[in-house]
Amino acid sequence: QVQLVESGGGLVQAGGSLRLSCAASGRTISNYAVGWFRQAPGRERELVASINWSGGSTDYADSMKGRFTISRDNAKNTVYLQMNSLKPEDTAVYYCAVSTLIRTTRVPPDFASWGQGTQVTVSS
């Protein structure tokens, strides 16, 4: 029942920053883990980061650690992805997804609801 809309993507120079937002509607997501994924042209969709129901636990793919930060504001029913020190290889469509679990997970089948994605392009 939940609908997810990503925003905040765009064109940025290498080394720059973007903040992505995932706004949920139709149902509260405050009791569920949420993940960010990305898919580059010709590549498989991959996990970027996930956050548990309260925001107290996070999980990051190794290539994102130290550069990306996932957070949530349950009062706004929104999840964020702060992206710093962006690299050209970060260019992809970024998706948010809501899990059926309260804990973080890296397993795609655990994410039942997906947004349509937002394009991030990083120039060299």
Side-chain angles (χ1 to χ4, degrees):
Q1 290 183 311
V2 64
Q3 292 80 48
L4 305 173
V5 179
E6 301 94 337
S7 63
L11 177 64
V12 64
Q13 296 182 28
S17 299
L18 286 173
R19 189 192 193 199
L20 306 184
S21 298
C22 174
S25 62
R27 183 176 180 176
T28 179
I29 62 171
S30 62
N31 294 324
Y32 305 98
V34 177
W36 282 97
F37 295 77
R38 71 183 185 186
Q39 188 166 25
R43 304 285 297 277
E44 296 182 348
R45 187 170 297 186
E46 64 177 346
L47 175 74
V48 175
S50 64
I51 188 167
N52 78 333
W53 71 276
S54 68
S57 296
T58 57
D59 184 34
Y60 298 91
D62 287 343
S63 63
M64 320 305 173
K65 292 179 180 178
R67 299 192 300 124
F68 292 5
T69 303
I70 188 171
S71 62
R72 67 192 303 164
D73 186 342
N74 284 337
K76 296 181 178 180
N77 218 26
T78 300
V79 177
Y80 305 96
L81 183 68
Q82 179 66 46
M83 308 166 64
N84 299 325
S85 301
L86 284 164
K87 305 174 182 179
E89 51 263 44
D90 295 320
T91 295
V93 177
Y94 284 71
Y95 302 87
C96 69
V98 178
S99 176
T100 58
L101 309 177
I102 63 171
R103 62 169 176 82
T104 60
T105 176
R106 297 185 178 187
V107 182
D110 288 339
F111 295 90
S113 301
W114 295 77
Q116 292 298 307
T118 184
Q119 176 71 48
V120 172
T121 303
V122 184
S123 62
S124 60

